Amino acid sequence: MISRSIKTVLLFLCSSVLVAQTADTATILGQVLDPTQAAVVGAQVIVKNSQTGLHRTVQTDNSGKFSIAGLPVAGTYELCASKSGFADARVPEIALLGGRQATVNVRLNVSAGATAVEVTGVVGEVLTDEPQLGIRIGTKQAQETPLLNRRITYLPLLNSANRPAINQGDVFMNENLFTTAGAGRRQTSFEIDGSDGNDSWGRQTIFTNLPLASVQEMTVLENAFSAEYGATTGGVVNIVTKSGGNSFHGEVLGLFRPSDTAAKLSGFTAQSGASGNDITSDSLKQASAAFGGPLGKSGRTHFFLSGEYSWQDRGSPIISPVAPGSFEGHYRGWLAFARLDHQINDRNNLFFRSDVDSFHDTNPNGAVGGNNLPTVDRIFKRRTYSEEFGETAVLTSSLVNNARAQFQLASPITQFDPVIFSTQFTVSIAGVGNFVTGTSQSAELQNRQYDLSDTLAASWGRHQMRFGADVLRSHTGGNGKEFGGPSFLGAFTYKSCILDTATCESPTYLDNIANVNSYTQSYGNATYTVDDTLWALFVQDDFRLQPHLTVNLGLRYEQQTFTDARKDFAPRAGFVYNIAGTGKTVVRGGFGIYYSQVVDNSEANYALSGPTGFFNFTASAGQIGFPSSVSAAPLPAFPAGAQAPVRNLYIRPGRSSFYNQFFPTSGLIGYPAALLNPYSEQWTFGVEQQLAANWLLTMDYVGSHTLRIVRPLDVDPPVSFVRTITAAGTQFARTAQAANCTRPLWIAFYNQLGTACNPLKASNPQPAFAQILSDVNDGYSFYHALDVSLSHRFTSRFLMLASYTWSHATDNVDPDVPGQSPNDPNFAGRTEYGNAIFDQRHRFVLSGFYMAPLKITVGGIVTLASGLPYNLTTGANNFGDPGATADRPFINGVIVGRNTGLGTAIYDVSPMIERPFALGSERVQLTLRVEALNVFNHANFVGFNGLYGNGSTPPTDASGRSLLGVPLVGITNQLPARSLQFQARLNF
């Protein structure tokens, strides 16, 4: 049922006349003067789009000023100002920035001759009206940049302020993940053609990915955003898609990346690879096509279509003696995009966008490889659809309305299908290894999203106002967890088999219950659904306080119904001072508060790992619950008379009234009364200088303080204990049973019985639950950075972007990083404060291209960066929390801090070279291209061995060399090795 607050927002959207400038439109404003600097009143100003022919006409007011809002950014514009008695003034090739204002001031002459024109706020010029930090990537730059698999989500890495986030998402997703300004990998917010592009279920990356050929421009904002942006503490990526023009044009492209020309990843061989992520071969074939143009003869309707299909095969070594060899995983994915634009008249424009993103992977996250055989493989599938309708209405010369409506469907958003869906059988074969076949761990999750937005941009004197509202309704859920969870069909674990391999794997051996050591089966509920609404209201005023000073003031209110926060007001303030009023040098700064979304799949933890979720029960031969025969599995119900296992729970904050039926929440320590949205306080100060024509230099300080970061924490924690060194020289490890006996709820349980808990051995009766995790908003982080960039906008031959970032990111929990547990849950604050896992002190990125003689274009990307931190652990469960091995070592009398290890530096040089060949005419060209990714094959590791061990010194190899800090291997720990991508593109 929609709450009253949501109804209010919907009523506001439907009944209000809101005028807007969204991220896919722009505004041209300015002033027309005569030779004496007096205002020219009633001058006619016409702008015309060179690509679509769209034109708009306005007249200057009593101050000689004009404003033309809601202009699509595709193509360039020509501006013509005219007035009787004056010569016409023309300003050609005005390239607009999405969501921004361009200022064009014109001084008319009384006769034909030179016309004075001042242009600011366009592509390649100093921005004099807003303090936002970031980069714009146009069509040409995106096309010329070497990109692995031509994924558009690698483009933000051209800005050194963004850093790659290597994690499980990179392995089975078809997009790149990155972090910005000390925020987590799930914090980047995507906006496509003015509508939300985020996936509320998991916020991994773009809801529906786009073909590279469909991108008109991408603006990557780092900081100091206006109040238009919300639901993120990280960066914002605005994508504007391509529109068709008045002439037909298109391209057909083929790309090939052979495995034979690629270098191998470092640190392992086909005989030693211990994981399916230790890739030994990787090949790619990709086909892409795009076509656009006019529909009909009116010149008012245009279309653009593009599609892409990828065949990628990756080999994973299987080192198990049971079936050694190589397993080839197949990735197949396709992207489709369609856009239709229609100009009703010179005041009303419509567009419709539809895109599909579908892929499957037969070896997701390296499920098969090492000692894992193909019999345990699961196929990952994902398919998403986005349909958007947009309307721009010019109400007056200073009021423009932009409305957006979007439906998004992920069916599925995540699906894991076992190749052999059955009871699992695991046999330990003496002298050979484990044979595993079958699994019933599966998952199928879906997401539906409905998005309505309407935003306002009004030019009132010295005020450029924007008002807006946005409502995003999502319905998500399904069966299982992201990587699958329960084994409802059961799993047999066999005694060690000393017979030959063929016999140990035979049906005769597997069907004999006498050979089974134990049996495990899951019981309970594995489904969940979430209905969530994110809605927001905002107002933004860019006020030209003085001719050379603009003050930016904004206020945003947003609410997420999945959480309990209801006071999330986000003020924003900034300024831009145009020194000397020339538009060549500005000083800028900003401060704002930004709230982030809590992902909806958090409910999977609460529902599936809560007291009404599922649990695993294990029985050995002779115990209640052990099947009478192999064919008796799975058991139809929980065995009568069996003792339910002690369970570990994950519970939602603020639900004491519900959980009290299972245990007294008043006995928990630090159980939160509410689930809140994290927020950050961000501030910037810097300068932007035009060094020469087309050259811009920027220097900015960026600061951020994020609070209320969500972290899982044990709210029924064992008491702290002082770790000591045993007589054997090892660090003392408390058993789970001894730790459980000190939990508050266990103490209360045994006090009620009048007996003592035995710390040496579990005995009935005992409490039903041990560890109880909940999401606690006690995380915090700091980020400080110096950003420097030097850019040259694209002219006829040359484009360059060089950026450098010095930064330091610290926190007491890394946002969006799975598997984190504090050293001691009783001390999760200052004690856990240290370097963030993605803290990278230095990062430099140089990119661009040069069109040399003989029609040869050369370019590429150079990345130089310092190493990433890694955490030191004992590898043992010293504290006694079940399943926790994040305990840090005791060195020189103290527990070492988080992420104190430092990895090796990263160097990557990826050049490209291409040349077009005319086929009959210049309108039809075949371009041949070669890209060498990581051409020098530098081993760029991002994961390192942090296992210090449980002794007084770290482990060593046979030669006595310390293994601490040795690089980890595989595609989750190392950036790609050298590979060559060959491409042929036919343009017409």
Side-chain angles (χ1 to χ4, degrees), residues 123 316 363 423 485 522 873:
V123 175
S316 297
N363 193 18
T423 300
S522 301
T873 65

Short mmCIF file of all heavy atoms in Angstrom, two decimals, residues 123 316 363 423 485 522 873:
data_model
loop_
_atom_site.label_atom_id
_atom_site.label_comp_id
_atom_site.label_asym_id
_atom_site.label_seq_id
_atom_site.Cartn_x
_atom_site.Cartn_y
_atom_site.Cartn_z
N VAL A 123 31.58 22.84 -24.44
CA VAL A 123 32.60 21.82 -24.38
C VAL A 123 33.99 22.43 -24.57
O VAL A 123 34.22 23.18 -25.52
CB VAL A 123 32.35 20.74 -25.46
CG1 VAL A 123 33.49 19.74 -25.48
CG2 VAL A 123 31.02 20.04 -25.20
N SER A 316 39.83 -22.58 -17.80
CA SER A 316 40.22 -22.70 -16.40
C SER A 316 40.86 -24.07 -16.18
O SER A 316 40.29 -25.09 -16.59
CB SER A 316 39.00 -22.55 -15.47
OG SER A 316 38.43 -21.27 -15.60
N ASN A 363 30.70 -20.45 -16.60
CA ASN A 363 31.64 -20.66 -15.48
C ASN A 363 31.72 -19.38 -14.66
O ASN A 363 32.76 -18.73 -14.58
CB ASN A 363 33.02 -21.06 -16.00
CG ASN A 363 33.92 -21.60 -14.87
OD1 ASN A 363 33.45 -21.98 -13.81
ND2 ASN A 363 35.22 -21.62 -15.11
N THR A 423 20.84 -34.15 -5.72
CA THR A 423 21.57 -34.32 -4.47
C THR A 423 23.07 -34.30 -4.77
O THR A 423 23.52 -34.80 -5.81
CB THR A 423 21.18 -35.65 -3.82
OG1 THR A 423 19.78 -35.64 -3.54
CG2 THR A 423 21.95 -35.87 -2.53
N GLY A 485 22.03 -20.68 -2.17
CA GLY A 485 22.18 -20.86 -0.74
C GLY A 485 21.89 -22.26 -0.29
O GLY A 485 22.77 -23.11 -0.20
N SER A 522 19.17 -28.91 3.78
CA SER A 522 18.64 -27.62 4.21
C SER A 522 17.14 -27.71 4.40
O SER A 522 16.44 -28.42 3.67
CB SER A 522 18.96 -26.54 3.17
OG SER A 522 20.35 -26.43 2.96
N THR A 873 45.93 -11.16 8.54
CA THR A 873 45.09 -12.01 9.39
C THR A 873 45.90 -13.21 9.88
O THR A 873 46.94 -13.56 9.32
CB THR A 873 43.87 -12.53 8.62
OG1 THR A 873 44.29 -13.39 7.56
CG2 THR A 873 43.05 -11.38 8.04
#
